C-alpha cells in the first residue's frame, strides 16, 4: 500500500491521547512533520519517532514537508483557517471536531474543498466506533426492517462556560459535544432531514438540550444531551418497524430485543433477548472509533474516493446546531448570542494551540 | 383497625392474578361479595374463601352486601357506569385503569364523586411500585435538587387493534398502557401541565408515540412508548438541577449518578455511582405496586382522606391522552377517529365481563 | 379440587411475610387453626380471616381441628418434635427449614414419616423459585448436555452468633442459610454424593465456608458461602459438557452462554449470548419459590405422591452439614463443638415460638 | 528519559495485535531490530517504521543491534532458549507468557537472570490491566481489611489439543491460559503459598480445572477455569475480613459491596453498593494491561529496579501448574504425560516462529 506522508498540527491532549497513538500504530503512514504554536510541545514527537521536522509555522510545513495529508487537533478557528491553506495547496485535510464555528463557515470550507478536489475529514469517532459499526450492520438487514426511531442520550458535565472565544456556552457545547450525537441521529435517521424541534433548559451554568428530528425516511430521532450530568456517558436505542429494538450502552454493550428469540437449551421463549459484549482483552483504538476514522480517511485519500465523515457530511448537523441556537435565542428574546472573537487571527497561540480533550 | 367490607366486580385475569391475591393477604379487609356477568367465574372466589355472596347483578350486590367499598377490574364502560351507581349509594370505589374512555367522562365521574363525598381510586400501580416510592423519596431531597427532566420509555407489544368497542387503536393503547407512564410524567413533573407535544408513527398495526410535556415547575418530560416492541418493558431516568441522574430499570434496579460518589475502599473517585437492587427473595405484590395502591386506598377510606390516585388525579393524564388523539387526527386530516360503541349499555357481557390483563 | 384443611404453627415473621400470604392466596386451601405459644400473636390471623380457631396447645389443635396438614415456621426443635406428633396422628407435615438440628434427628424423622405414611415437606423455596425451574428445564435438555460443574455463591451477613440454643455459629449458619445452597448443589449435581471437602475461615464473628462436592454423575459443585458479606445475595453458574454455561444472578436474571448463538439481525456471531429477565410487573410469591413449594406439597398430599423436598430428600444435605462441622472441629483440634440445649423440651416458648426470617 | 533500544522477536498475531502497537506508541522506546524465522513477516515492521534492521538470525541481532532489551512473542521453547542467549549478553528480556514449559526450566532461567543481572519480564498483562490496578489499590486500604478469599473464573474455549509440541493438552492450557489467573491468585493471596488442591474434569477434548489455594496470610483462592466454555471471559471476586466484596466483571466493570453505603439522595441505605465503569471513549492498551506491563518493565530497565512480573515472580504459579499436572496424572494412573519435543532445537521455524494469540 502507498505510504502516506502526514503532517500533524496541534500536539495537545486530544492528539497525544487518541490521534497520535492511533497514527503511530497505523501501517503505511509516516508522520513527517509536526506543527504547534508551542515548539516545545511540538518537540514531544521526538519521544516517539526520531526523524520528524517540527515547526511553529504552518506555511513552512506546507511548503517544505511534501505532505499528502494533515491531521489537526486545534481550536475550530485553526481548523478552519489552516484547512483552507492546506486545501489550497492540494493537501488532504483531517480535523478534529468541530471543523469551524458556523454553518456559513462550513459551507465555505466545503466550497474550498470542492475546488481543491481534496479529501476532507472530521474526527467523528463515535460514527466509527466498533459497536456503532455493528449497529449499522444490524440495522441495514432486511430482518431488522426500517428504522422508525432513534433515541440518543449523551450525558456530559462540560463545557459550562464558552470555549474558543465564543460568547455562547450553548454553541460551545453543541460544537464540542452534541455534534457527535446529532451526527449519529443524522446517520441512522436516513434520507433528508425535515423537522428540527429543540428546547434548552438551564440551571446555573449547566444546560440540558432536548431535540427531536424528523427525516424523509419517516424515521424520527429524539436526543437528550447537556452538561447537567456528573460525567460523560452515552447510550442509544433504535426501534424498527419489525418490532426490534437494539440498545447500545456505554459504547460497548449491545442488546437486541426481537419478537422471536431463543437458545438451544430453551427453544424460542418469551423475554429472551440477544446480548453482546466485547472480550476481556479487547484493546486499542477500535472501540472508540479513533482507529476506524483515520483508517477510512487514509483509504479515501489513497483511492480519491469519498470519505463518509467529510466536511460536507456535517451540513445537516450544522443546520441542527444553528437551529437549536436560533430557537433558544428567539425564546430568550435575545438578539444574537453568538459572536465570534478574533475569528480571523492567524498563528496566534489561541489558534495554533493544541486541542484539549473536551469529553 | 376497622375491618372494611369489600365487594369485587369482575373476576377476570387481572383480578385473579394481581388484585385478588393482594386483597386476600391484606389485613382488615373482608371480601364479602363478588359480582361478575359470568356467574361461574364469580363462583371461583369460593376456591379461596367460603362465605362470599356471588351475583351477576351489581345493583343487587349494592343493595344487599353492606359494602364499604367496591374493587373493579372490568372494561372501562363498566368502571364508569358501575362507579356512578356505587358512588350514588355512598360506596367508595376503586377501579382498574382506565376508569373511562374520555376526558368528558372522567370529569363527569369526578363531579359524581364530589357530590357523593366518597373516596375514589384508580389502579395506577406503577405509581405505587416500591422502587417508584424510592425514586419519589430520592427526588424530594434537598441534595437531589429540582427535577429538570424525566425520560420515560415504556415498551409494549399490544394492543394492535382497538379494545373495548373503541374505533381507535391509538386511544386503546393510551388508555390501556401509556396511561401509567403519562401519569408518572405528571407525578414527577410537578406543578401545572403547560405544554403537550406529541407525534404518532405507525407501521402496519403497530404504533409509536413520542410525547413531550412541559410543566410550570420548569421540568420537562419526554416519553417514548408504543406497541412496536417485542415485549413489555419499562425504564426511566430523572435529571436534576444538581447534576444528578437517577435511573430505574425494569421497575427494579436503581442507579444514581451523582457528581461526588465514593466507597470506603476508594474514597471519592470519578465514575463511581450508587446502585441498588432488591434482595433475592423479595416477593409479593409490593414491587409492582398492587399492594401499595390498595393499602393506601383503604387507608384513605378509613380516614376519609384524599387518595393520591383518585379520579381527579387523572385529569392531566386524560388531557394528554385527548391531545395526543386530537393531534394525530389533525395530522391525518381525518375527522373524528374516536367513536365509542354502546357506551351506555348496562349489564351486558361486554361490560360486566372481567378485565384481561393487557400488559 | 379437594379442599385441604390446614393448621398453621408459629405466626412469626417468616410465616407472616412469606408463607401466610402464600397460603391465603392459594386455591382450595383453608386455614382452619393457628397455634402459637403466644396467643396474641396467634390471634393476628383474625386480621386476615374470621373463622379460625387459635390455640397455644399443639396437641389440642391436632385433636380438634381435623387437619389434613400442618404448616410450621418455628425453631428446629419445634419442627422436629411437633412433626413427630403430627405424623403420629396421620397429619401431613410441612416445616420451614431446618426441620431439625442433626443428621441423626433427620433420620429419626424420616423413619417416623415412613411409618406414618404421610407426606413431609421442608421449605426449600430456592429449589422452587421460578428461575430455578427454568434452569432445571434448561439443564435437562439434550442440547445442554451433561452438567459438569455447578458454582454456587451465597452471600449472607448473619447469623454471627449461635441460633436456637445451639453452641455452634457454624452449624447455625449451615442450617439457617447454607442448607438452601447445599440442597441446590445436590439437586443439580445428580446421582450419588461421593466427595465432600470443606474449609471454614473465620474473622471475628463472621465465617466463610468453601465447599467442594463430587457426584457419581461426574458433576462437581463448588460452593462459597458465609456471613462475611454486607447483605444477602445469591448467584450461580452451571457448566455443561456441551460448552454451555448458564448463569443465574440475584435469583432473577438468566444468561446462557453457548457456542452458537445469534439474532435475526446478526445471524450467528461471536460473543452473542441469550439473556432473560422477568417482566416489570412480575409479582407474587412465584419468583422466590414460596408459592411453588406449597403448591407442590399440597399436590403431593392430594395425590399421596412423593414430594421432592421431603425430609428424606435432605439426607445428602445433612451429611454435608455434618461433614463440614466435623472437619472444622477436627482442624480446630476441638472436640464436640455441637451440643444441643434442651433438645426435648416441649411446649416451651423457645420451641413453639415462631420463626424469625433469618435471611 | 533515556531512550531504550529494543529488539523484537516474533512478529506473529500476538505481537502485531497487542505488543507492537503498544511499543509504537510508547515514549522513549525505539524499535531498532526485528527477528523472525520468517523474514517476510519480519519485514512487515517496515509498514510502521522505516529504519529497522530485520533478520532471521537472533545471534546476529544480538551482535549487531546494540540492544537494551528484547521483547519476544514466540513459542515457549524460543522464549526459553533465546532469553538465555540474550541474558548472556546482558540484554534485558521481556517474553510473552509462558516463558518456558516447566518449573525446572523456569528455575534455570531465574538462575541465568541472576547471574547476568538483567531485568526479566513476562507478559502477565492481566496483572497490569487498569481495573486490576484499581482492585489492588482498593484491597490494600485499611478500610477494605484483610483479603480472605479470592474467587477467579476464567472461561476459555481453547486449546483443545496440545500446543508447542507438548504431549499434554492440560499443561498447554495451563501455560497458555490459566497462568494468568493462577498468577492473579498468587498476587492477591499474599504471603507464602501453602496448599494446592486441584481437580481436572474432561469431556471429549475439553477440560475443566478446579483449583483451591491456601496462603500463609490466611487467604484462600478458588479458581475455576478450563476450555469447556463458548468463548473467553473472565470475572473475579475478593472477599475481605471487613465484610466487603469487590467484583470485577469482564476486566472492566467493578462493583464494591460494603456494609455501609449510600448516596447523597438516600443517605446510607441497605443494598446500595458502589459501581464503577469506564468512560465510553476509554481506549488504548491500558485496560488490557499491555501498556502497563511494558511501561513498568522499561521503568525497571532504566532504574535497574525489580520488575513485578519477573521470571522469579512466576515460581509459585509454576509450582501450581506442576502440581495440577502431577495430581491429574496420579489420578489417571498414568505415568508421565508431559514430554517435550525437540526442546533444544534452535532457529527452527517451530521455535523462532511467532506466537499466535491463544486467548
Amino acid at each position: 500500500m502507498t505510504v502516506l506522508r502526514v503532517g500533524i498540527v496541534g500536539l495537545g491532549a486530544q492528539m497525544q491521547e487518541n490521534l497520535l497513538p492511533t497514527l503511530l500504530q497505523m501501517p503505511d503512514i509516516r508522520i513527517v512533520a509536526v506543527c504547534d504554536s508551542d515548539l516545545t510541545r511540538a518537540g514531544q514527537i521526538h519521544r516517539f519517532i526520531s526523524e520528524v521536522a517540527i515547526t511553529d509555522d504552518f506555511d513552512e510545513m506546507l511548503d517544505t514537508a511534501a505532505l499528502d495529508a494533515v491531521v489537526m487537533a486545534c481550536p475550530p478557528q485553526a481548523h478552519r483557517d489552516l484547512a483552507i491553506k492546506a486545501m489550497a495547496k492540494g493537501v488532504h485535510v483531517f480535523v478534529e471536531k468541530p471543523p469551524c464555528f458556523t454553518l456559513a463557515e462550513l459551507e465555505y470550507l466545503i466550497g474550498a474543498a470542492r475546488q481543491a478536489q481534496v479529501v476532507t475529514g472530521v474526527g467523528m469517532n463515535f460514527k466509527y466506533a466498533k459497536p456503532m459499526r455493528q449497529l449499522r450492520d444490524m440495522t441495514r438487514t432486511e430482518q431488522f426492517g426500517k428504522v422508525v426511531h432513534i433515541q440518543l442520550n449523551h450525558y456530559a458535565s462540560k463545557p459550562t462556560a464558552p470555549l474558543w472565544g465564543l460568547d455562547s456556552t450553548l454553541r460551545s457545547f453543541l460544537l464540542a459535544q452534541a455534534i457527535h450525537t446529532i451526527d449519529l441521529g443524522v446517520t441512522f435517521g436516513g434520507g433528508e432531514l425535515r423537522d428540527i424541534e429543540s428546547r434548552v433548559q438551564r440551571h446555573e451554568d449547566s444546560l440540558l438540550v432536548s431535540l427531536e428530528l424528523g427525516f424523509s425516511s419517516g424515521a424520527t430521532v429524539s436526543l437528550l444531551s447537556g452538561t447537567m450530568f456528573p460525567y460523560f456517558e452515552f447510550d442509544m436505542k433504535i426501534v424498527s418497524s419489525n418490532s426490534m429494538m437494539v440498545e447500545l450502552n456505554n459504547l460497548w454493550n449491545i442488546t437486541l430485543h426481537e419478537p422471536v428469540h431463543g437458545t438451544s437449551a430453551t427453544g424460542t421463549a418469551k423475554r429472551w433477548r440477544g446480548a453482546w459484549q466485547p472480550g476481556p482483552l479487547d484493546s486499542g483504538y477500535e472501540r472508540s472509533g479513533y482507529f476506524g476514522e483515520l483508517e477510512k480517511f487514509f483509504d479515501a485519500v489513497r483511492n480519491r474516493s469519498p470519505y463518509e465523515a467529510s466536511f460536507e457530511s456535517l451540513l445537516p448537523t450544522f443546520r441542527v446546531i444553528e437551529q437549536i441556537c436560533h430557537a433558544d435565542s428567539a425564546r430568550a428574546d435575545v438578539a444574537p448570542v453568538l459572536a465570534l472573537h478574533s475569528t480571523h487571527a492567524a498563528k496566534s497561540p489561541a489558534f495554533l494551540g493544541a486541542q484539549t480533550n473536551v469529553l
Side-chain angles (χ1 to χ4, degrees), chain A residues 95-146:
Chain A
V95 301
E96 254 305 321
K97 47 83 193 165
C100 56
F101 292 112
T102 66
L103 177 57
E105 292 178 8
L106 183 69
E107 285 168 341
Y108 185 83
L109 284 169
I110 293 167
R114 204 168 288 145
Q115 206 164 5
Q117 292 190 293
V118 296
V119 176
T120 64
V122 182
M124 306 308 293
N125 61 294
F126 274 68
K127 188 183 244 167
Y128 290 93
K130 192 177 165 186
M132 207 61 80
R133 296 206 313 266
Q134 290 172 267
L135 257 60
R136 295 178 79 177
D137 289 344
M138 293 169 75
T139 55
R140 280 165 181 162
T141 61
E142 194 186 336
Q143 286 76 12
F144 190 76
K146 258 168 54 81

Side-chain angles (χ1 to χ4, degrees), chain A residues 78-342:
Chain A
H79 291 159
R80 177 195 61 200
D81 298 347
L82 304 191
I84 285 167
K85 289 185 178 198
M87 294 191 292
K89 301 255 180 179
V91 174
H92 306 285
V93 171
F94 183 95
V95 301
E96 254 305 321
K97 47 83 193 165
C100 56
F101 292 112
T102 66
L103 177 57
E105 292 178 8
L106 183 69
E107 285 168 341
Y108 185 83
L109 284 169
I110 293 167
R114 204 168 288 145
Q115 206 164 5
Q117 292 190 293
V118 296
V119 176
T120 64
V122 182
M124 306 308 293
N125 61 294
F126 274 68
K127 188 183 244 167
Y128 290 93
K130 192 177 165 186
M132 207 61 80
R133 296 206 313 266
Q134 290 172 267
L135 257 60
R136 295 178 79 177
D137 289 344
M138 293 169 75
T139 55
R140 280 165 181 162
T141 61
E142 194 186 336
Q143 286 76 12
F144 190 76
K146 258 168 54 81
V147 169
V148 174
H149 187 73
I150 302 123
Q151 181 178 76
L152 292 152
N153 290 323
H154 176 160
Y155 315 111
S157 59
K158 52 184 178 174
T160 53
L163 301 173
W164 310 309
L166 285 172
D167 276 353
S168 162
T169 303
L170 175 59
R171 184 175 288 259
S172 301
F173 163 73
L174 295 171
L175 289 170
Q177 294 267 4
I179 190 171
H180 281 300
T181 344
I182 297 169
D183 179 59
L184 288 175
V186 169
T187 301
F188 282 98
E192 195 190 329
L193 174 58
R194 289 272 167 82
D195 301 321
I196 307 171
E197 285 179 51
S198 63
R199 182 190 328 238
V200 179
Q201 293 168 270
R202 286 179 170 82
H203 185 82
E204 294 173 5
D205 296 332
S206 299
L207 46 84
L208 192 72
V209 178
S210 304
L211 178 66
E212 299 280 319
L213 304 178
F215 292 85
S216 61
S217 63
T220 56
V221 165
S222 67
L223 190 154
L224 179 69
S225 192
T227 57
M228 214 175 273
F229 302 92
Y231 30 71
F232 171 47
E233 288 208 87
F234 172 77
D235 61 68
M236 70 182 285
K237 300 185 164 90
I238 306 175
V239 184
S240 88
S241 59
N242 284 353
S243 294
M244 295 200 189
M245 180 168 67
V246 59
E247 287 187 81
L248 175 61
N249 283 302
N250 200 30
L251 212 59
W252 208 236
N253 292 72
I254 303 174
T255 306
L256 180 72
H257 306 262
E258 56 181 345
V260 178
H261 194 86
T263 71
S264 52
T266 57
T268 294
K270 208 175 173 195
R271 294 202 169 280
W272 282 90
R273 62 208 66 182
W276 181 91
Q277 64 177 53
L281 295 184
D282 268 22
S283 295
Y285 297 86
E286 287 284 353
R287 173 210 183 189
S288 51
Y290 294 114
F291 195 91
E293 66 178 17
L294 285 166
E295 184 186 42
K296 295 291 183 198
F297 172 74
F298 292 125
D299 283 354
V301 166
R302 283 192 184 92
N303 304 321
R304 296 296 171 108
S305 58
Y307 176 59
E308 195 190 358
S310 66
F311 288 168
E312 194 165 0
S313 76
L314 283 175
L315 275 174
T317 299
F318 268 76
R319 278 177 51 210
V320 171
I321 290 174
E322 295 295 347
Q323 173 63 25
I324 294 171
C325 291
H326 178 76
D328 183 58
S329 301
R331 276 196 203 198
D333 264 340
V334 174
V337 285
L338 174 76
L340 300 188
H341 290 167
S342 63

